């Protein structure tokens, strides 16, 4: 008999191993949870038996997932996406259920499957994986793309549809003659509970949270959050509804308060861990022997729903105004099964609506479709280009638009422009600074609404994916003076840096990050400079604090500059000019100075290491030779006639170093 502690340790161990392996393969962690659940389950290695403990943990995972969805459910968001949610999403769920019911009538001639079971099965198959799809779209920076918005609209309706489906499936278990009354009773009960909870909750929730937060205790805040979530889930369960419905209502109520974002951050660890355990328990349900015995049927139930959902969603997307390529990407993104499909399938199986053996077969096909999902999304662009001749034309038009806008530099006589990857707040602030200095720029962004409004206002921004080589070429990367990645996404930045190294390896690239954790990777990939938000934020915080504490502004500026000099290689020194005297520049501040080696200089033919410049407190920042600039040259570099040596140091040391270099 395995103790609770041993069971918990085993689940944690396999969860960690599964996530590490699948993260290393750049696949969603959810697939790792499912896989390890299959391996350790009672139908494989038999390390863990199904028990009440594991099932309760799984239920808690669903509870917190529904709570998170409730937090995201806001009327303004729903109103802005109403065509996609209640048009495209409603059509997809309804037609999937209807198609399953019609297929059920045909299957009933060969295998016992009544219409109640078909409805429950259709509801399960209608779901797609919010966790897998949203995560992959976010990593690929496609959440705000045209197909991304359609996918998220359909997923939002699917999540909302789970609530009535969780009420409908138990009602289908009733006898046919009493089904109508059962549905009516369930509907009345759900409506009554929701009205009471929402009406009373709206008045009580904000006031109660004020009382709790006034005690200024993070521990109390967390305890209160768990109490409300699990308490409302228990109330709906006692009313004969579902735990998930109560958690959804709890999320909706808290979403209307000012504590929504704090709650979302606090609940996330519980949700992710318990949801991971939920997927492990789902994997444990899979009986590999049943799959092997019905391999052909499993394959048919894998291909049938996947192809049906893909074709149906792609067709619906076309009917709702999407282009062929966008429709194909939307269909591929939602063709797989979803986590709530497992919940509905388990509910139908527990109520004996579907035979246990058939539940195993459907479960296997759903699991396989989720394992297939990441690959469908990763290769969706290639598939769209292959099967949509119009997609080539649309992408060509997009690239032509980018290229035509970038060519403005040639017509205005500018020598180079800045390519801005991402036109969010950071990108727009950079664009304003460049405009003030009369430096042209070309911005690429994937938010169509932002691009439309900014372009209409006269900004040089176009719709385009900066992580695609074609977009960078069209943006004039070969003629650009610099490239700046303004959004903090390391994977996308690495992809852009890879393309830059292939297309224009000498182009300076500045990358924005959240912190220093990926500094080495980005620099190794070719980033000229990496700017972490945390470093800059701390410098600004320190400067304001020093000023408020009475430290002279001149000293504060010097301290901040010294910190930046130590952190950023590109800011280590500056070339002094006649107008610097009016800017409060310290005469002893580190600066840069260029020295050309004239014929007859004694240092010609010698290596840098033999000159002893570092003993004077001077560094050789770069050497320019025949229009080629070498940054941070090595000590064994041999100096040649007409080399331009860029020195870094304080003025007095620079004067001595120049004298040493030019002595005859």
């Amino acid at each position: 008999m395995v103790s609770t502690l041993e069971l918990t340790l085993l689940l944690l161990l396999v969860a960690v191993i599964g996530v590490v392996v699948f993260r290393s393969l750049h696949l969603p962690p959810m697939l790792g949870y499912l896989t390890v659940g299959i391996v350790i389950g009672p139908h494989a290695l038999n390390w863990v038996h199904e028990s009440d403990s594991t099932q309760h943990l799984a239920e808690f995972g669903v509870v917190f997932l529904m709570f998170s969805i409730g937090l995201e459910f806001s009327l303004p968001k729903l109103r802005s996406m109403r065509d996609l949610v209640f048009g495209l999403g409603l059509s997809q769920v309804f037609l999937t259920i209807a198609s399953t019911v019609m297929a059920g009538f045909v299957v009933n001639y060969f295998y016992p499957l009544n219409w109640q079971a078909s409805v429950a099965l259709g509801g399960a198959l209608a779901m797609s994986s919010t966790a897998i799809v949203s995560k992959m779209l976010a990593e690929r920076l496609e959440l705000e793309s045209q197909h991304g918005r359609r996918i998220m609209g359909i997923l939002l309706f699917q999540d909302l549809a789970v609530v009535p489906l969780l009420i409908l499936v138990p009602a289908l278990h009733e006898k046919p003659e009493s089904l109508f009354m059962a549905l009516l009773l369930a509907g009345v009960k759900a409506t009554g509970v929701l009205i009471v909870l929402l009406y009373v909750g709206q008045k009580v929730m904000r006031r109660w949270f004020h009382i709790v937060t006034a005690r200024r205790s993070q521990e109390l805040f967390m305890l209160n959050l768990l109490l409300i979530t699990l308490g409302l889930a228990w109330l709906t369960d006692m009313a004969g509804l579902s735990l998930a419905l109560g958690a959804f209502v709890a999320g909706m109520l808290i979403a209307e308060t000012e504590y929504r974002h704090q709650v979302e951050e606090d609940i996330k660890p519980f949700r992710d861990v318990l949801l991971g355990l939920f997927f492990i328990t789902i994997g444990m349900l899979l009986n590999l022997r049943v799959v092997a015995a019905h391999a052909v049927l499993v394959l048919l139930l894998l291909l049938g729903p996947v192809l049906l959902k893909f074709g149906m969603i792609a067709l619906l997307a076309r009917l709702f105004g999407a282009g062929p390529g966008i429709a194909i990407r939307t269909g591929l993104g939602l063709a797989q099964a979803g986590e709530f499909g497992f919940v509905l399938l388990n509910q139908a199986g527990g109520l004996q609506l579907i035979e246990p053996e058939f539940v195993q077969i459907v479960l296997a096909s759903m699991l396989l479709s989720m394992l297939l999902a990441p690959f469908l999304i990763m290769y969706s662009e290639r598939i769209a280009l292959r099967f949509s001749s119009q997609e080539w034309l649309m992408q060509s038009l997009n690239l032509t638009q980018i290229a035509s806008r970038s060519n403005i530099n040639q017509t205005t006589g500018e020598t180079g422009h800045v390519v801005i990857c991402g036109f969010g707040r950071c990108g727009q602030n950079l664009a304003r600074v460049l405009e003030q200095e009369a430096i042209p720029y070309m911005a690429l962004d994937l938010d169509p609404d932002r691009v439309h409004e900014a372009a209409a206002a006269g900004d040089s921004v176009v719709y385009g994916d900066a992580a695609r080589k074609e977009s960078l070429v069209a943006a004039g990367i070969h003629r650009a003076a610099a490239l700046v990645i303004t959004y903090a996404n390391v994977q996308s930045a690495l992809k852009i840096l890879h393309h830059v190294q292939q297309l224009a390896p000498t182009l300076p690239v500045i990358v924005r990050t959240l912190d220093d954790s990926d500094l080495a990777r980005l620099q190794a990939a070719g980033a000229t400079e990496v700017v972490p938000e945390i470093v800059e934020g701390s410098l600004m915080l320190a400067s304001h604090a020093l000023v408020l504490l009475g430290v002279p502004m001149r000293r504060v500026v010097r301290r901040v500059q010294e910190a930046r000099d130590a952190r950023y290689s590109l800011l280590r020194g500056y070339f002094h000019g006649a107008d610097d005297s009016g800017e409060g520049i310290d005469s002893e501040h580190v600066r840069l100075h260029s020295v050309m080696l004239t014929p007859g200089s004694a240092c010609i033919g010698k290596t840098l290491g033999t000159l002893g410049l570092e003993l004077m407190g001077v560094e050789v920042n770069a050497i320019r030779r025949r229009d080629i600039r070498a940054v941070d040259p090595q000590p064994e570099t041999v100096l040649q006639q007409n080399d331009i040596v860029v020195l870094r140091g304080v003025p007095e040391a620079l004067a001595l170093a120049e004298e040493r270099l030019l002595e005859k």
Side-chain angles (χ1 to χ4, degrees):
M1 183 66 179
V2 180
S3 67
T4 303
L5 177 59
E6 291 172 335
L7 174 62
T8 304
L9 287 174
L10 178 60
L11 291 176
L12 290 175
L13 174 64
V14 297
V16 169
I17 293 174
V19 172
V20 167
V21 172
F22 275 73
R23 279 287 190 187
S24 302
L25 297 174
H26 303 290
L27 295 174
M30 182 187 302
L31 301 184
Y33 292 128
L34 290 171
T35 303
V36 297
I38 295 171
V39 172
I40 68 172
H43 306 297
L45 296 180
N46 198 24
W47 289 357
V48 179
H49 298 279
E50 294 181 44
S51 65
D52 291 339
S53 299
T54 56
Q55 291 303 315
H56 289 324
L57 287 175
E59 288 181 354
F60 284 147
V62 177
V63 163
F64 284 109
L65 178 60
M66 284 301 290
F67 176 80
S68 299
I69 292 171
L71 284 176
E72 292 296 324
F73 182 74
S74 63
L75 292 178
K77 180 179 180 180
L78 197 63
R79 193 177 297 114
S80 66
M81 299 177 65
R82 59 184 180 273
D83 292 338
L84 296 177
V85 176
F86 294 107
L88 196 54
L90 174 61
S91 302
Q92 181 265 322
V93 172
F94 175 77
L95 288 178
T96 303
I97 295 176
S99 301
T100 307
V101 171
M102 288 188 291
F105 287 121
V106 178
V107 173
N108 194 45
Y109 288 103
F110 310 97
Y111 188 90
L113 191 70
N114 57 31
W115 70 268
Q116 292 95 330
S118 298
V119 171
L121 192 58
L125 295 177
M127 300 295 112
S128 302
S129 178
T130 302
I132 291 179
V133 176
S134 60
K135 180 68 173 175
M136 291 204 66
L137 288 179
E139 290 178 350
R140 292 166 60 86
L141 302 177
E142 293 178 353
L143 282 174
E144 294 299 331
S145 64
Q146 295 189 50
H147 66 277
R149 289 169 65 87
R150 286 168 170 80
I151 288 173
M152 294 309 297
I154 295 175
L155 286 174
L156 179 56
F157 183 83
Q158 289 179 359
D159 293 338
L160 297 176
V162 171
V163 176
L165 286 173
L166 287 172
I167 298 170
L168 174 64
V169 171
L172 293 173
H173 183 57
E174 302 293 331
K175 295 179 181 179
E177 56 271 14
S178 58
L179 178 60
F180 176 76
M181 288 304 298
L183 287 173
L184 181 62
L185 179 62
V188 170
K189 190 187 297 184
T191 304
V193 171
L194 290 175
I195 289 175
V196 171
L197 289 178
L198 292 174
Y199 180 74
V200 176
Q202 282 184 336
K203 294 185 176 182
V204 173
M205 191 65 68
R206 182 177 277 106
R207 188 176 302 173
W208 175 247
F209 263 90
H210 282 319
I211 295 173
V212 171
T213 54
R215 303 302 173 266
R216 300 182 182 279
S217 170
Q218 182 64 27
E219 179 184 3
L220 179 60
F221 186 86
M222 196 68 237
L223 286 172
N224 177 63
L225 179 58
L226 293 174
L227 173 64
I228 290 174
T229 306
L230 298 178
L232 290 185
W234 175 78
L235 284 176
T236 52
D237 184 58
M238 293 297 293
L241 302 173
S242 68
L243 293 170
L245 178 60
F248 179 78
V249 173
M252 285 181 59
L253 292 175
I254 295 176
E256 299 299 324
T257 70
E258 60 269 34
Y259 306 103
R260 169 185 173 180
H261 298 292
Q262 179 64 39
V263 166
E264 194 170 12
E265 288 301 314
D266 288 343
I267 209 72
K268 187 176 180 180
F270 292 93
R271 181 198 67 189
D272 292 345
V273 171
L274 292 173
L275 191 60
L277 295 177
F278 163 72
F279 284 114
I280 290 178
T281 60
I282 290 299
M284 290 166 55
L285 295 175
L286 183 63
N287 190 332
L288 296 177
R289 295 183 182 88
V290 174
V291 175
H294 302 86
V296 176
L297 185 55
V298 170
L299 184 61
L300 288 175
L301 287 175
L302 167 64
L303 296 177
V306 167
L307 292 175
L308 173 67
K309 287 177 69 175
F310 163 69
M312 181 185 300
I313 294 172
L315 179 60
L316 287 172
R318 287 286 288 146
L319 293 176
F320 278 82
I326 295 170
I328 291 175
R329 290 190 182 93
T330 305
L332 290 172
L334 295 168
Q336 80 293 134
E339 47 272 7
F340 283 121
F342 294 128
V343 177
L344 294 170
L345 186 64
N346 286 340
Q347 189 181 46
L351 295 169
Q352 302 298 316
L353 284 173
I354 306 175
E355 293 293 328
E357 188 177 30
F358 193 66
V359 169
Q360 285 291 323
I361 296 171
V362 176
L363 179 66
S365 66
M366 292 172 65
L367 280 172
L368 291 174
S369 74
M370 293 181 72
L371 292 172
L372 186 65
F375 303 101
L376 289 177
I377 296 174
M378 282 192 293
Y379 294 106
S380 60
E381 182 173 351
R382 294 185 185 180
I383 297 173
L385 290 173
R386 184 176 182 84
F387 291 99
S388 174
S389 57
Q390 200 173 17
E391 183 67 11
W392 285 101
L393 177 61
M394 295 299 295
Q395 291 205 10
S396 298
L397 289 174
N398 184 36
L399 295 176
T400 302
Q401 182 189 20
I402 297 173
S404 63
R405 293 294 297 271
S406 68
N407 284 336
I408 190 173
N409 300 322
Q410 292 181 338
T411 60
T412 56
E414 300 289 351
T415 57
H417 62 287
V418 177
V419 177
I420 302 177
C421 303
F423 205 61
R425 183 177 298 180
C426 181
Q428 291 173 43
N429 289 338
L430 172 61
R432 300 295 171 265
V433 174
L434 294 175
E435 286 176 346
Q436 291 173 359
E437 296 296 327
I439 299 174
Y441 67 89
M442 166 57 60
L444 300 172
D445 197 272
L446 281 173
D447 188 329
D449 295 335
R450 181 186 297 142
V451 170
H452 176 73
E453 292 195 14
D459 288 319
S460 181
V461 55
V462 293
Y463 181 85
D465 184 359
R468 292 185 60 215
K469 183 188 296 186
E470 297 84 356
S471 297
L472 294 175
V473 172
I477 189 174
H478 294 102
R479 296 180 285 102
L483 183 143
V484 184
I485 303 173
T486 65
Y487 51 82
N489 185 293
V490 175
Q491 294 303 320
S492 178
L494 290 172
K495 190 181 296 185
I496 294 173
L497 288 168
H498 174 71
H499 295 324
V500 171
Q501 290 301 304
Q502 290 183 327
L503 299 170
T506 61
L507 181 70
V509 181
I510 302 173
V511 182
R512 169 193 166 201
T513 61
L514 294 176
D515 51 41
D516 273 345
S517 59
D518 295 290
L519 176 64
R521 290 175 64 197
L522 291 167
Q523 288 181 333
T528 310
E529 195 61 85
V530 180
V531 181
E533 292 181 2
I534 290 179
V535 173
E536 284 303 312
S538 63
L539 289 177
M540 287 297 97
L541 189 66
S543 64
H544 286 292
L546 290 175
V547 170
L548 291 175
L549 291 172
V551 178
M553 179 62 73
R554 186 187 186 89
R555 195 187 307 168
V556 171
V557 172
R558 187 171 70 249
R559 295 294 186 203
V560 172
Q561 186 62 40
E562 287 172 353
R564 286 198 174 113
D565 285 350
R567 171 58 187 79
Y568 301 121
S569 61
L570 290 183
L571 298 181
R572 292 173 185 162
Y574 66 98
F575 294 104
H576 189 266
D579 58 348
D580 287 332
S581 57
E583 298 181 3
I585 302 295
D586 193 338
S587 61
E588 294 302 311
H589 198 283
V590 174
R591 60 185 64 176
L592 299 176
H593 180 56
S594 298
V595 178
M596 174 178 281
L597 303 184
T598 56
S601 299
C603 67
I604 295 175
K606 297 181 179 180
T607 61
L608 283 176
T610 61
L611 297 178
L613 298 179
E614 66 278 358
L615 299 177
M616 303 177 183
V618 174
E619 298 176 8
V620 178
N621 183 271
I623 294 179
R624 186 181 179 191
R625 180 177 298 166
R626 292 187 290 275
D627 294 330
I628 298 176
R629 175 176 170 141
V631 181
D632 294 330
Q634 299 300 315
E636 56 270 17
T637 302
V638 178
L639 297 176
Q640 298 180 11
Q641 182 176 312
N642 296 325
D643 280 353
I644 297 177
V645 182
V646 182
L647 305 174
R648 177 182 182 273
V650 297
E652 184 178 353
L654 289 175
L656 292 174
E658 182 177 11
E659 189 176 326
R660 170 72 61 86
L661 289 171
L662 298 180
E663 65 183 357
K664 303 298 183 181

